[in-house]
Amino acid sequence: MKKILITGGAGFIGSHVVRLFVNKYPDYQIYNLDKLTYAGNLENLKDIESRSNYTFIRGDIVDGEFIQALFKRHQFDGVIHLAAESHVDRSISNPMEFIYTNIVGTVNLLNAAREIWNEIYSNKRFYHISTDEVYGSLGDSGFFTESTPYDPHSPYSASKASSDHLVRAYHDTFGMPTVISNCSNNYGPFQFPEKLLPLFIHNIRNNRPLPVYGKGLNIRDWLYVEDHARAIDLIYHDGKLGNTYNIGGNNEWKNIDLITKLCEIMDNKLGRQKGESAKLITYVKDRAGHDLRYAIDSSKLQRALGWEPSLVFEEGLEKTVDWYLANQEWLDNVTSGEYQKYYTAQYAER
Ligand code: NAD
Ligand code: DAU
């Protein structure tokens, strides 16, 4: 039985990856290692938690001794590494957590894998999940390809860029069997409501202001989270070692257009008059170092592994809104307690 360690499996994307692997590969033993920070939530995995091929381990990837002991005990065959501090705004107010988890945590995992695999790499694989933000910001035209030079602007993206470099360095220097993917903005169920879409769905439902940074002209490329999980499955199994794969939705939206679309859907779902939710739009102080545009060229992945996004965006957005409205208890649970302090501090001066 193959033993696969998935880190950050209680988070947004990680929970979709864990669910996919547990369901699709009954002959794999899936270990989900997660610290359960504010962003980690075992409720995200309720439907698979009692499956015999699934084990949850609570732990911190920054704790090198713990990670070494864990790898020695379980002798993992593969690692899919998603654990990270992931929110740009939090990296601006508190960069150090990003340095520890995203950089030191990644190196701890690389070191532990290197030690147990001891240069015998057949059927072993270390897959590092990264972001398009490492490439920086685009102007009006062009796309990020796998050879676009790195140019990160936030402590978050700089920490992810650093971890990508280290993963590549372990491949080139020690021959480690690594692969990396860089994905665009994900959306879908179980995303923590500090990120644009779940935050705005939550605020619209509660008639709270929608804080649009700057003029709302920044552009993001949106991909449904299950399509990302499918790409991760393909790359984990068939991606070429030492390679990088870009993953994107080919689906660019200016923030204000996306928010207007979301308001229309919410008016409809909540039985409000057309235009009512859009009245909540409030322009606030811009994010520092705010990247203007991200757009991914994922043709390498499409060509090499036959992947493509499965959902039309409008369909995915509506499905996502339906999920949050049907799971208000999940949203209410994660927005109680500490969340209130975060929200007040983050949006106070805006
Ligand atoms: P998330 O914040 O929802 O989840 C992160 C998970 O990591 C949480 O469960 C958290 O508890 C866990 N974690 C954090 N620090 C840890 C530590 N020190 N030890 C162990 N576990 C820890 O993040 P997400 O949006 O699901 O992103 C997952 C990965 O995908 C990240 O590496 C992120 O950079 C990358 N990514 C995200 C997006 C996106 O749009 N969300 C796009 C591209 C890439
Ligand atoms: O591109 C991939 C990245 O996408 C991932 O690596 C990150 O982990 C993920 O958080 C996401 O980063 P963004 O900064 O693009 O996502 P966020 O949801 O925070 O913001 C999306 C856009 O909306 C961005 O231009 C900022 C803007 N925004 C965001 C928030 C939270 C607002 O205008 N108001 C807000 O309150």
Side-chain angles (χ1 to χ4, degrees):
M1 204 177 204
K2 266 202 165 163
K3 293 178 163 190
I4 299 183
L5 177 71
I6 299 180
T7 70
F12 166 47
I13 302 170
S15 63
H16 289 274
V17 176
V18 166
R19 179 174 298 100
L20 175 69
F21 272 67
V22 165
N23 284 330
K24 189 168 170 186
Y25 300 108
D27 53 333
Y28 290 179
Q29 189 63 37
I30 302 300
Y31 295 83
N32 170 13
L33 169 65
D34 199 295
K35 184 180 173 184
L36 298 183
T37 67
Y38 76 93
N41 185 352
L42 290 177
E43 288 293 312
N44 300 359
L45 291 165
K46 268 258 164 280
D47 54 328
I48 56 109
E49 67 183 4
S50 57
R51 301 285 283 277
S52 60
N53 64 335
Y54 172 71
T55 307
F56 174 70
I57 301 162
R58 186 169 190 181
D60 188 344
I61 59 169
V62 178
D63 182 347
E65 274 176 33
F66 162 76
I67 293 295
Q68 292 276 348
L70 188 75
F71 274 67
K72 280 202 183 108
R73 188 171 341 123
H74 295 291
Q75 298 288 316
F76 303 116
D77 299 292
V79 177
I80 305 178
H81 174 37
L82 295 108
E85 286 293 335
S86 69
H87 191 40
V88 175
D89 292 326
R90 288 187 191 249
S91 82
I92 295 167
S93 48
N94 185 15
M96 284 316 286
E97 283 300 315
F98 290 71
I99 306 307
Y100 293 130
T101 288
N102 298 0
I103 306 176
V104 177
T106 300
V107 177
N108 282 338
L109 293 166
L110 285 164
N111 285 339
R114 183 174 170 228
E115 195 167 318
I116 60 159
W117 294 341
N118 197 22
E119 294 183 18
I120 301 168
Y121 293 138
S122 55
N123 297 318
K124 303 287 188 281
R125 184 160 285 229
F126 189 105
Y127 180 7
H128 176 62
I129 308 298
S130 192
T131 170
D132 60 358
E133 300 202 10
V134 298
Y135 298 122
S137 183
L138 292 164
D140 291 339
S141 61
F143 295 90
F144 297 134
T145 71
E146 286 80 1
S147 55
T148 301
Y150 276 28
D151 182 25
H153 297 129
S154 72
Y156 164 68
S157 53
S159 68
K160 292 296 290 188
S162 171
S163 62
D164 292 10
H165 288 317
L166 285 156
V167 171
R168 263 184 217 109
Y170 271 61
H171 172 269
D172 296 350
T173 310
F174 304 120
M176 289 270 295
T178 63
V179 65
I180 299 175
S181 60
N182 297 80
C183 189
S184 64
N185 285 62
N186 285 214
Y187 71 99
F190 300 117
Q191 187 169 30
F192 193 79
E194 62 189 352
K195 308 280 166 66
L196 182 73
L197 281 170
L199 174 68
F200 278 32
I201 292 170
H202 181 60
N203 283 10
I204 293 171
R205 177 192 148 214
N206 294 300
N207 269 311
R208 295 176 71 168
L210 305 178
V212 178
Y213 295 167
K215 295 189 169 126
L217 300 179
N218 305 70
I219 293 172
R220 298 291 182 266
D221 172 1
W222 294 91
L223 178 69
Y224 193 65
V225 61
E226 287 178 3
D227 281 336
H228 187 188
R230 259 191 324 107
I232 289 174
D233 178 17
L234 280 173
I235 295 167
Y236 179 74
H237 289 97
D238 298 322
K240 220 167 143 200
L241 294 182
N243 270 231
T244 296
Y245 295 87
N246 278 355
I247 312 170
N250 196 19
N251 176 42
E252 292 179 52
W253 284 77
K254 203 173 275 175
N255 287 345
I256 193 60
D257 295 341
L258 174 62
I259 293 158
T260 307
K261 178 94 207 152
L262 177 69
C263 287
E264 280 167 24
I265 296 176
M266 291 293 284
D267 281 346
N268 198 16
K269 300 277 175 197
L270 298 172
R272 293 181 181 170
Q273 261 184 2
K274 207 165 173 260
E276 207 175 318
S277 299
K279 287 188 194 146
L280 298 168
I281 292 174
T282 311
Y283 290 94
V284 299
K285 193 173 134 206
D286 206 354
R287 175 184 276 174
H290 199 172
D291 289 331
L292 179 65
R293 173 171 169 257
Y294 303 146
I296 277 277
D297 174 349
S298 57
S299 57
K300 173 177 173 182
L301 176 62
Q302 302 196 8
R303 255 194 332 272
L305 302 179
W307 174 89
E308 56 182 39
S310 70
L311 277 187
V312 174
F313 182 61
E314 281 77 357
E315 193 189 317
L317 189 57
E318 194 150 337
K319 199 167 147 170
T320 300
V321 168
D322 285 342
W323 187 86
Y324 284 97
L325 293 179
N327 289 275
Q328 292 188 0
E329 205 181 314
W330 181 91
L331 208 44
D332 290 340
N333 283 344
V334 297
T335 51
S336 61
E338 275 302 305
Y339 177 89
Q340 299 300 337
K341 271 196 239 157
Y342 159 77
Y343 194 81
T344 312
Q346 175 59 30
Y347 291 97
E349 86 270 18
R350 289 202 140 91

